């Protein structure tokens, strides 16, 4: 897609801090992080919003979601259960859709937001 910033990131025409890449997906650090860990997972193919994903994109959507815990683990913000049973860590996964959903970039992305609190605002 011309003029889509995340298509340009996927094509490496714009630099980004990439944390994961395969044939279909790219994950990179958000330029304006809301928390110590803030990674965006995108499909390399252009899908404008979650509502533009069709039935054939189901597997791709599943792969995006399944990547989130792997990234959280690599970025050291995965949920942990201590030997005393105490649960700590963890992260937020978020998809903003459309203006009322707070979407600013119209190329589907899953936010993975985590790390020690406090975080900027609450999203
Ligand atoms: P949205 O509000 O669309 O869900 O989130 C868009 C996110 O993309 C924002 O958190 C914003 O900081 C991030 N972002 C916008 N432009 C760029 C960019 O050029 N590079 C990177 N790495 N992140 C970007
Ligand atoms: Zn795009």
């Amino acid at each position: 897609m011309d003029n889509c910033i995340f298509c340009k990131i996927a094509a490496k025409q714009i630099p980004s801090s990439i944390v994961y890449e395969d044939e279909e997906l790219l994950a990179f650090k958000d330029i304006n992080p809301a928390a110590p860990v803030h990674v965006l997972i995108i499909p390399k193919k252009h899908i404008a919003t979650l509502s533009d994903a069709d039935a054939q994109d189901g597997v791709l959507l599943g792969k995006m979601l399944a990547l989130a815990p792997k990234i959280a683990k690599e970025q050291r913000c995965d949920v942990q259960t201590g030997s005393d049973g105490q649960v700590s860590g963890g992260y937020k996964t978020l998809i903003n859709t459309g203006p009322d959903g707070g979407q600013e970039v119209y190329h589907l992305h899953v936010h993975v937001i985590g790390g020690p609190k406090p975080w900027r605002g609450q999203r």
Side-chain angles (χ1 to χ4, degrees):
M1 245 333 236
D2 294 346
N3 279 332
C4 170
I5 197 154
F6 286 180
C7 280
K8 287 179 179 164
I9 285 175
K12 317 267 173 69
Q13 290 164 2
I14 291 177
S16 68
S17 182
I18 294 171
V19 299
Y20 176 86
E21 180 171 16
D22 64 26
E23 280 181 12
E24 294 175 292
L25 304 181
L26 189 74
F28 52 94
K29 292 185 179 175
D30 195 293
I31 205 166
N32 184 20
V37 174
H38 191 164
V39 170
L40 304 173
I41 300 171
I42 66 166
K44 286 186 172 175
K45 79 163 183 172
H46 183 84
I47 301 173
T49 79
L50 183 61
S51 292
D52 293 298
D54 60 31
Q56 290 171 344
D57 293 320
V59 172
L60 183 66
L61 294 175
K63 287 179 181 172
M64 291 173 72
L65 208 51
L67 183 56
K70 292 179 184 161
I71 285 174
K73 199 170 182 182
E74 281 172 15
Q75 299 291 318
R76 300 183 177 278
C77 67
D78 203 2
V79 66
Q80 310 270 357
T81 305
S83 54
D84 57 357
Q86 187 79 27
V87 180
S88 63
Y91 55 94
K92 190 188 291 280
T93 43
L94 180 68
I95 301 174
N96 295 323
T97 303
D100 286 352
Q103 186 171 5
E104 290 171 6
V105 177
Y106 280 77
H107 181 129
L108 176 62
H109 49 282
V110 176
H111 296 255
V112 180
I113 302 169
K117 293 202 165 181
W119 299 351
R120 168 166 53 81
Q122 272 297 319
R123 310 214 294 172

